[in-house]
Amino acid sequence: MSLFLEVVPVSEAVEVVRRIAPPPGCEDAALEDALYRVLARDVSADIDIPGFDRSTVDGYAVAAADTTGASEAIPAMLQCLGRIGMGSADAGSISPGSCRYVPTGGALPRGANAVVMIEHAELIGDDVLVHRPVAPGENVVFRGEDFRAGAVVLERGRVLSPRDIGVAAAVGADRVSVVTPPVIGIISTGNELVPATGVPGPGEVRDANSYLAGAFVAERGCRPVYFGIVRDEREALKNAVSSALDRCDAVLVSGGSSKDERDNTAAVIADLGEVLVHGIAIAPGKPTIIGTARGKPVIGLPGHPASAFVVLVAIVDHLLAAMRTTAVSRRTLRARLTQNVPSTRGREDYIRVRVRDGEAVPVFGKSGLLNTLVQSEGLVRIPATSEGLEVGEEVEVILW
Amino acid sequence: MSLFLEVVPVSEAVEVVRRIAPPPGCEDAALEDALYRVLARDVSADIDIPGFDRSTVDGYAVAAADTTGASEAIPAMLQCLGRIGMGSADAGSISPGSCRYVPTGGALPRGANAVVMIEHAELIGDDVLVHRPVAPGENVVFRGEDFRAGAVVLERGRVLSPRDIGVAAAVGADRVSVVTPPVIGIISTGNELVPATGVPGPGEVRDANSYLAGAFVAERGCRPVYFGIVRDEREALKNAVSSALDRCDAVLVSGGSSKDERDNTAAVIADLGEVLVHGIAIAPGKPTIIGTARGKPVIGLPGHPASAFVVLVAIVDHLLAAMRTTAVSRRTLRARLTQNVPSTRGREDYIRVRVRDGEAVPVFGKSGLLNTLVQSEGLVRIPATSEGLEVGEEVEVILW
């Protein structure tokens, strides 16, 4: 292997991870457990929603024509035939010149096509004085107006939000077919690493990447499985990756991916399968490795947590989205840069920024610093074609 | 009770829910289970991070002064004393005129204060030719530069992101003290309601609100407990709310909150405790009720799912945030309105919008329609002081 990495553009790396993403399984889930799950099949309305003409207000169900010309001065007078109970199976009927009281959500009686709000009517004995005309359809949702029986309500690939969950309940989808969460193996390599539970000795640091990567994949609806810390020894790493491949749909290995003697990750992937990318034109994150083994993606992340996180956002996010057959969901906002940021043409630079009142303040700091991760709120991407961004320029911030 | 509601402004309703929010409990959580949990206590660094002067690149650890004036034409020549292994307890030392190879993340030897990147040096036998000068501190993170021992790394009240989880691991916080998730009881009332598993008969609809509210509170890190559908009968509702109060920290009751004969929710809250607000100057969502019973908040939501959801976003979100002692977290973006939107002075209007290419397209539709919930991406708030918004106006969209 050569000393310097042969880097590929970010766009190519993204294409590669999308291509190698294994197709997901699917399973049934109870609707109350389906928040943020990805729909594997469309959800359709089983029946017309609503199933009957329905009032959207408390008021009097009328034939709209009976209210033509009604005003405060000259109200229309209708005979009230009674009240319709909520959920009652038969809302009865009205004939011209009559009406029935209907509560919000109640069914309209036959012969009615509008509802006069209670605020615009007055009940006197058995008669109702209507002070305002209503148009046909006013204050009414007609049968099937919300969803027609058979209509697709939520499309496959959609990540279910609380609103979607409510709507699915309304159309009778108390169970939904959803994508099985991909299981992602997490391995950290490095002779300098001790677990978060330990106290590092001289030359040692705690393993942050396992937690960082695990929480990142969990946030994207995947299930992390932790395989702990492996020493930078080829056999040990090979055994760990092999175990992870047994149990997982993809494997993330962090550390061990700088281009020097410690570079076991690429060798292990090559042993078990194939290295597709070794080096991406991205800063930070250049020494990233993309490969496959036993038909499953194996990604080598940089050892520095801050660099690893940029690669998770810029590359791995696309892999996980493809494995869930959904789109990458990014929260972004536009803000103005508070200072010039130089960049190198030919690579995508990701700078960390704080966002304040519409301004993006670059958080500079040595690449090995963790504190930039908690002091920043997002990333600004500088395209490979650019030599930098100028103060005052409007940029898109990928919130993380 | 009078026919019309005495409404309070949204700001007052928000103040009330914040005031009645019960203080949360706290508990320990394993770091890998702490994603999105709210920190109940600060996380501090137990030791200096890193614990030693650390290289951020692969290269040669040097005394920066030894590289002064080095160039491609006239390199500085240093004697290489060997390699430093990752995680080795003793990185040795260098004296003037010498250097040691150090991998990314390795410890600097005593006497070194900078690292020359491998790309700018050349190893010839035991000598290293340095082609570029380095400044003191270059490519080095010094001991404690990331976090000093005892420094607060993550403040209480913070909702833990994947980055925070990684940083907590680095400072040894493998367990964290977090807010106990508030338990929220969910009740739907209405004689017209059938469960999502059922098929509605004439005049009946499925209960969407239980699922909608449950998923909404789950999204905000609370635990929903479902108490099902209760008929609009005072004793039945009182029993259900009472059971919910036994097991939950707050209760959401949807439906039964229009100001007419069906209005049991307010009566039941008054029976069990106190009604503080009955009616909010908000559209949709006016007939919202805020009360307390046994020291716990009880909120009456409108029966229409679309209205209920606006109240969840505009009011209940503040309650849940206060119960978790954190800030309301809103994803917002700015967009231009594609058409005029009239509004009524004196109430806050929330209109649903679709967002496309920086434009906010109002999704109008009868208030009872569920499809507006899935066809919109957020809400635009029209303040009570406004009579409407104009086409082209820049507005803030609360993404939901």
Side-chain angles (χ1 to χ4, degrees), chain B residues 78-103:
Chain B
L78 301 174
Q79 191 196 354
C80 186
L81 302 181
R83 307 173 68 85
I84 295 160
M86 285 301 286
S88 69
D90 183 7
S93 64
I94 61 168
S95 48
S98 67
C99 67
R100 277 179 192 272
Y101 177 84
V102 61

Side-chain angles (χ1 to χ4, degrees), chain A residues 4 31-32 35-36 46-47 49 52 54 56 58 83 86-89 101 103-104 107 119 137 140-142 145-147 154 158 162-167 169-172 174 191-192 196-197 200 202-208 211-212 215-216 218-219 226 258 260-262 304 309 331 366-371 373-374 376 400, chain B residues 4 31-32 35-36 46-47 49 52 54 56 58 83 86-89 101 103-104 107 119 137 140-142 145-147 154 158 162-167 169-172 174 191-192 196-197 200 202-208 211-212 215-216 218-219 226 258 260-262 304 309 331 366-371 373-374 376 400:
Chain A
F4 300 102
L31 194 52
E32 57 266 46
L35 184 62
Y36 296 144
D46 61 338
I47 51 171
I49 306 288
F52 54 94
R54 199 169 187 221
T56 63
D58 294 342
R83 308 172 67 83
M86 285 302 286
S88 68
Y101 178 83
T104 305
E119 292 89 333
V140 176
V141 172
F142 290 108
E145 188 177 346
D146 212 343
F147 300 107
L154 301 168
R158 188 169 176 122
R163 293 169 295 127
D164 298 339
I165 300 277
V167 170
V171 301
D174 62 306
N191 297 342
E192 78 281 20
T197 48
E204 295 179 334
V205 295
R206 294 195 183 96
D207 169 27
Y211 287 89
L212 190 68
F216 182 87
E219 188 175 46
Y226 300 95
S258 270
D260 77 330
E261 295 85 341
R262 297 174 298 118
H304 273 320
F309 202 74
R331 298 185 296 133
K366 295 173 181 172
S367 71
L369 292 179
L370 290 160
N371 64 38
L373 278 179
V374 285
S376 60
W400 56 12
Chain B
F4 299 103
L31 193 51
E32 57 266 45
L35 184 63
Y36 296 143
D46 61 338
I47 52 172
I49 307 288
F52 53 94
R54 198 171 189 220
T56 63
D58 294 341
R83 307 173 68 85
M86 285 301 286
S88 69
Y101 177 84
T104 306
E119 292 88 335
V140 176
V141 172
F142 290 109
E145 188 178 346
D146 213 342
F147 300 108
L154 301 167
R158 188 169 177 123
R163 294 168 295 127
D164 298 339
I165 300 277
V167 171
V171 301
D174 62 305
N191 297 343
E192 79 281 22
T197 48
E204 294 179 334
V205 295
R206 294 194 183 96
D207 170 28
Y211 287 89
L212 190 68
F216 182 87
E219 188 175 48
Y226 300 94
S258 270
D260 78 329
E261 296 85 342
R262 296 174 300 118
H304 272 320
F309 202 73
R331 299 184 296 133
K366 295 174 181 173
S367 70
L369 291 180
L370 289 160
N371 64 37
L373 277 179
V374 286
S376 60
W400 58 11

